[in-house]
Amino acid sequence: MNTTIRYVSLGLLAVVSLYTGLWAYFSPTGWYADFPGLGLSWLPQLGPYNEHLVKDAGSMFLALACLTVIALRHVRNTRLVQTTGAVWLVFNVLHFSYHVQHLDMYGTRDQVLNVVSLSALVLLSAVLLVPAFPGRRGDTQ
């Protein structure tokens, strides 16, 4: 796999996890009321606010950010990048699966945005599982 693709995928996953994690952990009521931002609000429809659950979600996203940033710094380490991709893929597939079963609570615009954004995260995760091209200098197994 091309190192540039790894950088882009890991970089986007790092941004998503830092954005979500920092906001959820340090402003749980604001995150619950206003996520994903930009005038949209996707969480209140899913059930009542629970500070413990929101802070746990924020902590999990920050842990994913930590792993992703480490992988980003060692982008030529195939095993580390693939492990990071596998961890993200498990989360993103399960997250996507939940949300596509609960799209009826949203209007058409928010349904489309949910499916597109969550599908993109699944794709970014899956891309990281592709092995490096054989014989690339600096790649480690």
Side-chain angles (χ1 to χ4, degrees), residues 23-85:
W23 188 8
Y25 192 82
F26 292 106
S27 179
T29 56
W31 180 77
Y32 177 80
D34 298 323
F35 182 83
L38 303 172
L40 302 172
S41 178
W42 292 349
L43 301 178
Q45 300 89 321
L46 298 175
Y49 171 74
N50 179 320
E51 181 181 12
H52 175 220
L53 184 60
V54 170
K55 284 187 142 291
D56 280 357
S59 298
M60 182 272 308
F61 274 105
L62 291 172
L64 282 170
C66 181
L67 173 62
T68 306
V69 168
I70 291 168
L72 193 54
R73 294 202 23 93
H74 301 280
V75 74
R76 293 187 184 279
N77 183 324
T78 298
R79 184 169 292 140
L80 177 59
V81 170
Q82 288 179 324
T83 300
T84 303

Side-chain angles (χ1 to χ4, degrees), residues 1-11 72 75-76 136:
M1 174 201 299
N2 185 313
T3 303
T4 303
I5 294 170
R6 285 180 172 187
Y7 272 119
V8 170
S9 296
L10 288 166
L72 193 54
V75 74
R76 293 187 184 279
R136 303 277 297 194

